Amino acid sequence: IPRYHRPYSWQAEHVQDLLEDVQEACDKNDKEYFIGSLITIKPAGGELHEIVDGQQRLTTLNLIFARLKEKVDDTGVKADIDQRLRPRNPYTGDTELPRLALRSRDQAFFRDYVLEATPFDKLKVSQLDAANANMLRNMLCIDDFFLNRTQSWLKTFGNYILERVFVVLVKTESIQSAFRLFNVLNARGLGLSNADLIKNELFGGV
């Protein structure tokens, strides 16, 4: 996630809506559940995707799986989730780069309290900046959603997200194309404010 992005801003109600919608789709055994588009810049020959649109959903999905890992008892499932969030070298056991890298100012919190599951029961929202406070609130929301669920349910829910929850991935090779698509997709509906779109246009010019 590039540094020019707005902070992680999803509130607990957004996360609750996503969890309940996915649960409903899972309970009905829907073949697919679509959660929107993801726009990235991936230069030819490059390995990393720079996220232009989709930060909120990707970060939230990482939060969901990080908390799911803490709730399941199955060591195989725990290992699978951990490998998806932060791959390890199978020969040395060393942790490699996480699949998702947040903005540099948020990366330490994300590493410590999301990926490494450092207990956050003593953290106070009032002492955190906006993005980290939102991550903390949302992890508490996810924990509450998982409360009193059976192990079978937790694994079924996680598998449904992995197998049946979809995004449309749009890969571009230039920042100009990515921002053009971003503006088209977010100029309609309830997405972003005019100020966000103007800021995006200015960054595109820079």
Side-chain angles (χ1 to χ4, degrees):
I1 297 173
R3 63 185 181 186
Y4 57 75
H5 254 298
R6 60 180 176 176
Y8 176 66
S9 58
W10 264 26
Q11 304 295 309
E13 56 263 30
H14 300 125
V15 177
Q16 186 71 28
D17 287 344
L18 175 62
L19 290 167
E20 290 176 353
D21 287 349
V22 173
Q23 180 187 3
E24 181 180 355
C26 181
D27 290 345
K28 294 191 299 185
N29 198 30
D30 287 348
K31 291 185 177 180
E32 58 185 34
Y33 179 75
F34 174 65
I35 60 170
S37 59
L38 176 63
I39 301 176
T40 69
I41 302 170
K42 185 174 183 292
E47 295 183 357
L48 298 179
H49 292 257
E50 183 174 305
I51 299 166
V52 175
D53 192 26
Q55 168 194 192
Q56 308 297 327
R57 280 161 290 152
L58 278 179
T59 304
T60 301
L61 287 171
N62 273 257
L63 298 182
I64 290 170
F65 275 105
R67 299 315 301 161
L68 181 64
K69 186 185 76 170
E70 297 306 302
K71 303 303 179 184
V72 295
D73 296 334
D74 189 311
T75 56
V77 173
K78 285 180 177 289
D80 179 72
I81 294 174
D82 199 46
Q83 185 69 13
R84 292 174 187 274
L85 294 176
R86 48 175 193 168
R88 292 178 182 271
N89 184 318
Y91 299 97
T92 65
D94 293 337
T95 301
E96 299 176 353
L97 289 175
R99 293 291 175 88
L100 177 67
L102 270 61
R103 303 182 315 160
S104 57
R105 70 186 72 177
D106 304 324
Q107 191 61 26
F109 182 95
F110 183 70
R111 180 194 64 237
D112 293 342
Y113 294 102
V114 179
L115 298 180
E116 296 182 3
T118 300
F120 48 74
D121 53 311
K122 295 182 179 179
L123 287 180
K124 294 182 179 179
V125 168
S126 60
Q127 297 175 341
L128 301 173
D129 66 20
N132 294 340
N134 286 331
M135 280 192 273
L136 176 58
R137 289 192 196 96
N138 292 345
M139 285 192 290
L140 292 170
C141 172
I142 294 163
D143 283 354
D144 187 59
F145 184 78
F146 287 158
L147 188 65
N148 298 323
R149 304 287 189 178
T150 66
Q151 289 295 308
S152 175
W153 185 95
L154 291 170
K155 289 190 284 187
T156 298
F157 185 79
N159 186 65
Y160 185 85
I161 295 177
L162 289 172
E163 297 290 336
R164 307 240 186 127
V165 172
F166 293 92
V167 299
V168 170
L169 175 60
V170 182
K171 293 185 291 186
T172 67
E173 294 186 1
S174 72
I175 196 167
Q176 292 84 3
S177 296
F179 280 131
R180 193 177 304 116
L181 284 165
F182 177 87
N183 282 330
V184 169
L185 290 175
N186 285 286
R188 299 173 177 82
L190 298 176
L192 300 176
S193 69
N194 289 336
D196 288 319
L197 294 173
I198 292 170
K199 182 185 73 172
N200 171 69
E201 191 69 29
L202 292 174
F203 274 118
V206 171

